Amino acid sequence: MCGEMENTEWNFRPVSMSDDTDSTAASCYLDEKTFRLSCGLFLEHSSFLNDGWAWEEVNGSEKEGYMKKTVMVPCRISSTPCQSNQSRLVDGDDALLEEEQLCDQDEAVGEPTAAEGQAAVRYEYHVLYSCSYQIPVLYFRASTLEGRSLSLEEVWNNVHPNYQQRLLQGPWDTITQQEHPLLGQPFFMLHPCRTEEFMRPALETARAERKGVNYILTWLSVVGPVVGLDVPLSYALAVGPPAPKAEATTAASTASASASTSGPD
Amino acid sequence: MLANSFLNSEKDPDFRMADGSTVKGPGTQKLQFAPFCSALEAGFWHQLTQKKLNDYRLDESPKSIKGYYYNGDPDGLPTRLTLEFSAFEVDGPTPVRCCPATGILYNTNTLEAFRSIDKKALLDTEASEIWEAIQSNAALQNPSILNKFILLTFADLKKYHFYYWFCFPALGFSEGIQIIQEPVLLSQKFSPKQISALQGAYDGLCTTNNTTAVPYFLIKYTEEDVTAAPLQEWEAFFTDLKTVTVGVYDPCTLPQHPGWPLRNLLILIASKWGAQVDLVEVLCYRDRTLQGTRSVQHSIIFQVKLPDLSASTGCPKSVGWEKNQKGAMGPRSVNLSECMDPKRLAESSVDLNLKLMRWRLVPTLDLDKVISTKCLLLGAGTLGCNVARCLMGWGVRHITFVDNAKISYSNPVRQPLYEFDDCLSGGKSKAFAAVERLRKIFPGVQNAEGFNMSIPMPGHPVNFSEETLGQAQRDVEQLETLIAAHDVVFLLMDTRESRWLPTVLAGSQRKLVVNAALGFDTFVVMRHGMKRPPGESAESSPSSSTGTSSSSSSTPGPATLPAASLFSNIPGHRLGCYFCNDVVAPGDSTRDRTLDQQCTVSRPGLAMIAGALAVEMMVSILQHAEGGYAVASSSDDRMNEPPTSLGLVPHQIRGFLARFDNVLPASLAFDKCTACSTIVLEHYEREGFPFLSQVFNSSHSFLEDLTGLTLLHQETQAAEIWDMSDDESI
């Protein structure tokens, strides 16, 4: 993840430098500890809601991990790429492997009815901490039930036409393919270069209103819907920022001010 | 309401007819189950590949694996049994609120073994194990035994093609199961109070068992209360056996059918208590959360009458092999080369990285035009290596090298495609070694080719023998063919005269030529003027201007281009070539020179700078609608609206490293040019090789006489005019 896009990073960095000198401006950055704590609070509510988020440790180590959610989306066989020919036929000699003698599923629901129309695409969302950008990054991939990953074009084709128009102007153009830094598998990533654009106003508003903000929640509720990930409204009421003592890097005075008005309950 | 519409859609006439049991009212209908649909995560295939390569190797013996299923899906999703990368850790955790299913993996070494393995026998073995577990009560203690599966795989790891076939063994009643009360939604049968009590009872059971999902459970309910118990407490829990209610964690979402896991449970009940039990009420427990709201009221509930199996000793018949995507009894297959083949991954990453430029910074960038450009690199030395690397950076796939030199010890430090080992035993041929390295750096460069050949040069005679003459002719033909097969020709050689032949050939073929040449701390990168295609009426060549060395050239250009002056707004077809500024023809520049004059002695950074600029200039030219015919941008245009999405399209970039400065001069084609003037091109096109060999074999006076340079020399000397006017500075 690190160092891939010096160019963008460079555009992004100068803002942070000015942040360091101007203590009144809200910082768009997040240290890893706060990331973990914010995720923890988010996960707590998710498990309360049964919303499907979980913390995945990598190689069983406490140190590395990410927040993950899998969502299945039904799709029609005929109209979608999830069952396209290239995905299932590898040689075209499948027919040779068929065995009629096994055909006696008397009590099964007639497969044509049950299986036709009942294909699905699996969307997998990962929230990772990026050390180089010092912010959370959303990775995702979509795959068929056979395990084949969809190309970005196929993912795009699965987006409802009503949304396509809007997304073209929005942050869809920041989606890029990257190797998952922890799994080493190809994933799509919402590039962090636009994060500051929407986090700064949100954080500044919250600061002005002396409200505590859970960075993960605010961020995810903006970037999630872009790639079909919903964040139920009840998170906003239930999930606050980590307790002030945990915010090691925040100036003590401002942290306590923001936390005293609204803490996690 | 939603439920009703689903019920209706389920009464699909085709379905009923295919089944043979049309609507005859309750009591005669047989219960049908929605089979599992296998669902594999990419991670599973990655892990299987690792296991096959590192652990299993040729071992075909059965391996334990693990999958899971979930009862919280929204409507419309198929009933799935999912295997992910963790499938190989049988003792690992099951995802929250999911039920585990254990399986046996048979990974064969060949497609033939996959084909010939006896599927019926595999199924029978598993089925009798389930039957044994029922008889021995082991299934009561550990009901997940009822949900076993078999997975047959063959992994073609050369192509990243995977063949697989799942089996979900289910024992069956030969006469089917009679429905007594048709399935209804739980909300139609239970009051809200009962539903919430049921939820509480189920959650309590999970807590007691220290899990988050229970596959099978027993239920008793009254108007006021609902209680639940684990399967093994059957005898103690049910006092009245006339009608019992069992709960099954149901992964199906169909409103009329239970999922597969119920099948073996009903066999168990019929075998254990078939003699006593009259009616079985089945709750297909479905528990989902949508937008943060939990719901179980869409669970379905129905009553069936089970045949009595308590007396039977033999294992009932079994089914379970999954149909493929075509609905036939056959394996499924998936091609994962796109996400697993490292070469494919490298290619898509390179392309996606380039697309980033378009997405974020230059939306109108035409990348395909760049990527599909065929580039001929004449010279695989310092400049050639750097140009090639930069072309790869732009995703160019078609790169051809021409060079006749071998790699020497001094090369690798400046020529980034070579290493020390390439210099040993006399050194590898540069053209071949460069191609080899390109493929190593990026296998996506499929069309890389090297030609170890010399380029005949003016003043370097080729007429020593028939053989040398023949060789020169073949070299010329080869070069003509190569230039014809490419879109852009890069001149990256270390001598001036070796650039003459390709300048003539490419000029005649109207190919874009990008030329880079180095001094000690100065360089020039330029595109050659591209003459109009032969068919088009050539506008009168600027014969009035006699080149940069003459003061008479300050007269304005032809009337057709009022805005064009000598140095600005020069269209591509009137731009000069590398030789246009010369008043002497190219000759043998290495003769009578000391070693340091023969070699390219330049500051090491210069070739990288010039090589990169040459490629970037090509890319900018390609982005211009008129390509090589684009009007030349000059230093004065730096403040104006750029002609392409990437900026200016200059004629020349002249760099001065001592001052860290570049200028962008543009100059007109010279009508007495020894390479690109009409008279030279016409002679070449008319006479071909005989004309060229005359140039190679003669001294420079031949070309000078032909183009009129000799005459010009005599005139200028006679007049002794050397008035370099002040305004002629760059």
Side-chain angles (χ1 to χ4, degrees):
Chain A
M1 273 279 332
C2 302
E4 266 287 311
M5 274 145 237
E6 296 87 349
N7 181 14
T8 338
E9 204 167 342
W10 188 82
N11 286 334
F12 194 35
R13 285 293 177 209
V15 185
S16 88
M17 286 176 210
S18 66
D19 270 359
D20 294 341
T21 52
D22 178 7
S23 59
T24 57
S27 167
C28 292
Y29 299 96
L30 187 68
D31 63 285
E32 191 163 8
K33 195 172 171 194
T34 316
F35 168 78
R36 289 296 192 92
L37 293 165
S38 306
C39 283
L41 292 168
F42 185 89
L43 286 166
E44 236 171 66
H45 189 65
S46 165
S47 93
F48 173 73
L49 288 182
N50 189 12
D51 193 37
W53 285 99
W55 184 262
E56 296 279 329
E57 279 171 9
V58 175
N59 301 326
S61 97
E62 274 278 339
K63 275 203 108 176
E64 290 192 305
Y66 54 93
M67 210 166 78
K68 174 185 170 182
K69 180 179 181 174
T70 303
V71 178
M72 300 294 305
V73 178
C75 72
R76 293 269 146 189
I77 286 171
S78 50
S79 60
T80 59
C82 57
Q83 295 281 338
S84 67
N85 279 339
Q86 68 176 95
S87 78
R88 54 176 143 156
L89 297 183
V90 296
D91 276 334
D93 67 346
D94 281 11
L96 297 175
L97 298 164
E98 285 170 9
E99 297 187 23
E100 282 305 317
Q101 53 162 45
L102 297 169
C103 240
D104 56 350
Q105 305 218 1
D106 55 344
E107 289 169 284
V109 172
E111 262 95 348
T113 328
E116 209 177 89
Q118 278 211 335
V121 174
R122 174 205 310 276
Y123 285 86
E124 204 179 314
Y125 301 100
H126 293 190
V127 172
L128 275 78
Y129 183 72
S130 159
C131 324
S132 45
Y133 291 102
Q134 293 177 51
I135 46 174
V137 183
L138 182 64
Y139 283 77
F140 74 100
R141 68 176 163 190
S143 55
T144 66
L145 291 182
E146 296 118 22
R148 186 181 67 86
S149 295
L150 300 189
S151 67
L152 196 55
E153 283 74 16
E154 289 174 305
V155 173
W156 175 247
N157 290 336
N158 267 7
V159 173
H160 193 279
N162 290 355
Y163 282 108
Q164 287 191 350
Q165 274 305 321
R166 232 186 61 200
L167 289 181
L168 274 178
Q169 290 137 32
W172 181 269
D173 61 352
T174 65
I175 292 178
T176 160
Q177 192 172 29
Q178 285 255 310
E179 202 168 82
H180 192 292
L182 300 176
L183 299 181
Q185 293 164 15
F187 267 73
F188 298 114
M189 174 183 95
L190 269 175
H191 201 273
C193 60
R194 294 259 181 100
T195 304
E196 199 233 338
E197 268 173 43
F198 58 83
M199 281 310 284
R200 181 174 294 283
L203 294 172
E204 277 172 358
T205 308
R207 179 167 293 221
E209 293 172 7
R210 304 206 149 243
K211 278 190 194 149
V213 169
N214 183 303
Y215 194 110
I216 295 299
L217 174 61
T218 306
W219 166 77
L220 199 58
S221 62
V222 176
V223 297
V226 174
V227 291
L229 174 65
D230 282 324
V231 181
L233 214 58
S234 78
Y235 278 97
L237 302 170
V239 181
K245 57 180 175 292
E247 286 186 281
T249 56
T250 318
S253 57
T254 49
S256 58
S258 66
S260 59
T261 48
S262 93
D265 49 341
Chain B
M1 267 174 293
L2 186 67
N4 277 337
S5 74
F6 258 88
L7 284 170
N8 289 337
S9 74
E10 192 53 35
K11 284 188 178 140
D12 184 329
D14 287 348
F15 163 57
R16 293 292 170 183
M17 274 189 284
D19 188 53
S21 61
T22 42
V23 188
K24 286 179 193 159
T28 55
Q29 239 174 284
K30 303 285 186 192
L31 185 62
Q32 289 185 312
F33 305 85
F36 269 126
C37 158
S38 58
L40 294 149
E41 286 193 0
F44 172 82
W45 296 120
H46 282 277
Q47 200 65 19
L48 177 65
T49 305
Q50 291 306 311
K51 290 276 179 193
K52 164 81 184 159
L53 292 174
N54 304 321
D55 300 352
Y56 305 162
R57 295 167 199 264
L58 292 179
D59 177 9
E60 283 188 330
S61 65
K63 307 284 185 301
S64 289
I65 51 170
K66 183 179 151 179
Y68 62 87
Y69 57 98
Y70 181 49
N71 72 341
D73 283 334
D75 289 334
L77 285 176
T79 306
R80 298 173 323 283
L81 186 90
T82 305
L83 269 67
E84 47 184 47
F85 71 98
S86 58
F88 300 88
E89 294 158 36
V90 184
D91 300 321
T94 305
V96 178
R97 289 189 184 78
C98 291
C99 272
T102 53
I104 298 178
L105 171 72
Y106 294 88
N107 183 46
T108 65
N109 289 326
T110 62
L111 190 57
E112 189 46 46
F114 181 94
R115 194 194 314 254
S116 60
I117 199 164
D118 188 343
K119 282 101 189 167
K120 190 92 185 68
L122 287 184
L123 170 60
D124 287 345
T125 312
E126 280 311 299
S128 35
E129 276 189 28
I130 293 172
W131 181 247
E132 288 300 315
I134 290 173
Q135 300 310 310
S136 70
N137 285 345
L140 283 180
Q141 302 302 318
N142 177 16
S144 69
I145 291 178
L146 300 177
N147 287 308
K148 296 182 102 176
F149 66 91
I150 304 168
L151 172 57
L152 196 57
T153 55
F154 166 65
D156 180 348
L157 296 184
K158 283 206 185 76
K159 294 192 209 151
Y160 299 95
H161 289 178
F162 296 86
Y163 296 82
Y164 65 100
W165 203 346
F166 270 91
C167 178
F168 311 105
L171 309 183
F173 299 96
S174 50
E175 65 275 42
I177 301 162
Q178 205 184 344
I179 299 181
I180 302 301
Q181 201 173 79
E182 285 225 52
V184 294
L185 293 179
L186 185 63
S187 53
Q188 287 171 268
K189 178 135 186 164
F190 272 31
S191 68
K193 189 174 183 185
Q194 284 173 308
I195 289 176
S196 101
L198 169 70
Q199 227 170 269
Y202 175 80
D203 291 348
L205 200 58
C206 292
T207 314
T208 318
N209 287 358
N210 200 16
T211 97
T212 54
V214 177
Y216 306 105
F217 49 98
L218 311 173
I219 301 168
K220 274 195 298 207
Y221 59 91
T222 65
E223 295 276 305
E224 293 298 313
D225 197 21
V226 179
T227 51
L231 199 56
Q232 75 255 34
E233 286 173 22
W234 180 289
E235 313 279 353
F237 190 70
F238 291 126
T239 43
D240 170 19
L241 282 178
K242 260 184 109 60
T243 302
V244 296
T245 305
V246 294
V248 57
Y249 176 99
D250 188 33
C252 182
T253 59
L254 298 173
Q256 284 288 306
H257 300 281
W260 215 237
L262 177 61
R263 293 198 69 162
N264 289 335
L265 176 71
L266 292 182
I267 290 286
L268 180 144
I269 294 172
S271 161
K272 291 270 142 206
W273 304 289
Q276 299 102 303
V277 171
D278 212 14
L279 275 183
V280 177
E281 184 170 55
V282 177
L283 167 70
C284 292
Y285 190 67
R286 302 171 184 180
D287 184 355
R288 72 180 168 212
T289 302
L290 289 178
Q291 289 288 319
T293 311
R294 183 180 176 188
S295 137
V296 300
Q297 55 256 40
H298 62 290
S299 299
I300 61 171
I301 189 161
F302 54 89
Q303 289 180 358
V304 292
K305 176 139 190 67
L306 292 183
D308 177 12
L309 290 185
S310 55
S312 69
T313 49
C315 176
K317 73 181 174 65
S318 53
V319 293
W321 286 100
E322 186 183 23
K323 292 186 176 178
N324 63 16
Q325 295 98 326
K326 289 179 286 182
M329 263 300 154
R332 296 173 178 231
S333 56
V334 59
N335 176 356
L336 295 183
S337 58
E338 245 160 90
C339 58
M340 291 183 82
D341 184 346
K343 289 181 182 173
R344 299 282 290 275
L345 283 175
E347 269 198 78
S348 62
S349 297
V350 165
D351 289 345
L352 271 160
N353 225 330
L354 284 165
K355 280 186 194 157
L356 283 183
M357 272 195 274
R358 205 170 58 191
W359 288 340
R360 296 221 203 91
L361 303 166
V362 196
T364 56
L365 185 64
D366 187 348
L367 271 177
D368 290 339
K369 213 168 185 175
V370 180
I371 288 171
S372 62
T373 300
K374 299 170 185 158
C375 296
L376 177 63
L377 275 54
L378 303 181
T382 347
L383 279 167
C385 285
N386 283 298
V387 165
R389 290 217 68 134
C390 196
L391 285 174
M392 279 203 291
W394 272 104
V396 174
R397 306 290 208 267
H398 195 124
I399 300 174
T400 305
F401 293 98
V402 170
D403 203 309
N404 66 346
K406 288 185 168 24
I407 303 165
S408 68
Y409 287 114
S410 66
N411 293 155
V413 291
R414 286 194 183 208
Q415 303 181 5
L417 294 178
Y418 311 127
E419 291 174 355
F420 170 73
D421 282 350
D422 298 327
C423 317
L424 301 177
S425 338
K428 290 184 185 167
S429 152
K430 282 189 175 178
F432 300 148
V435 168
E436 216 174 284
R437 192 57 39 81
L438 284 199
R439 293 222 176 93
K440 271 193 184 160
I441 293 167
F442 179 46
V445 182
Q446 283 137 356
N447 294 309
E449 216 180 337
F451 291 86
N452 185 15
M453 59 176 273
S454 311
I455 296 173
M457 298 178 275
H460 295 248
V462 295
N463 56 351
F464 301 112
S465 67
E466 282 294 306
E467 198 194 319
T468 53
L469 196 64
Q471 184 60 45
Q473 186 161 8
R474 284 193 297 280
D475 288 343
V476 169
E477 281 165 12
Q478 175 76 274
L479 193 59
E480 283 170 332
T481 314
L482 282 174
I483 289 172
H486 289 78
D487 304 313
V488 181
V489 181
F490 283 90
L491 305 188
L492 310 166
M493 306 86 132
D494 53 2
T495 62
R496 175 171 198 80
E497 59 266 31
S498 61
R499 298 166 197 258
W500 181 82
L501 179 62
T503 300
V504 174
L505 302 188
S508 169
Q509 294 191 26
R510 310 303 195 256
K511 296 287 183 178
L512 180 60
V513 174
V514 177
N515 192 343
L518 307 176
F520 165 66
D521 60 2
T522 58
F523 65 84
V524 59
V525 170
M526 68 184 295
R527 56 170 162 137
H528 285 182
M530 220 157 86
K531 300 279 188 275
R532 287 226 165 113
E536 286 177 33
S537 61
E539 110 189 61
S540 61
S541 58
S543 52
S544 61
S545 80
T546 45
T548 49
S549 62
S550 165
S551 62
S552 64
S553 62
S554 57
T555 50
T560 46
L561 285 160
S565 75
L566 187 54
F567 298 116
S568 66
N569 291 327
I570 307 173
H573 70 276
R574 293 183 61 202
L575 288 170
C577 78
Y578 186 61
F579 295 95
C580 279
N581 290 347
D582 289 346
V583 287
V584 285
D588 187 347
S589 62
T590 53
R591 191 185 298 160
D592 303 329
R593 297 230 180 152
T594 59
L595 188 64
D596 66 313
Q597 285 171 315
Q598 282 181 40
C599 292
T600 321
V601 179
S602 63
R603 287 177 64 169
L606 210 57
M608 299 182 191
I609 296 168
L613 284 174
V615 173
E616 297 299 338
M617 180 188 252
M618 175 200 85
V619 174
S620 291
I621 294 167
L622 291 175
Q623 294 307 306
H624 196 286
E626 292 174 69
Y629 293 109
V631 169
S633 316
S634 70
S635 297
D636 296 340
D637 292 322
R638 281 172 174 162
M639 306 304 287
N640 299 338
E641 183 68 23
T644 76
S645 54
L646 290 177
L648 301 183
V649 186
H651 177 220
Q652 305 173 25
I653 305 163
R654 285 181 184 262
F656 307 91
L657 201 52
R659 303 200 311 259
F660 294 101
D661 190 19
N662 293 341
V663 293
L664 308 178
S667 62
L668 285 165
F670 179 31
D671 65 343
K672 294 181 175 57
C673 174
T674 54
C676 74
S677 60
T678 315
I679 192 160
V680 173
L681 292 181
E682 277 175 359
H683 270 80
Y684 159 68
E685 283 159 16
R686 202 167 51 233
E687 299 168 28
F689 182 72
F691 165 72
L692 297 175
S693 82
Q694 228 176 331
V695 176
F696 305 146
N697 297 331
S698 314
S699 74
H700 52 79
S701 63
F702 173 75
L703 276 176
E704 289 170 17
D705 291 347
L706 181 74
T707 55
L709 273 176
T710 314
L711 198 63
L712 182 73
H713 280 238
Q714 287 161 357
E715 282 171 5
T716 42
Q717 271 163 2
E720 288 191 351
I721 297 171
W722 289 101
D723 58 342
M724 300 295 286
S725 55
D726 291 339
D727 58 294
E728 218 177 299
S729 63
I730 302 167

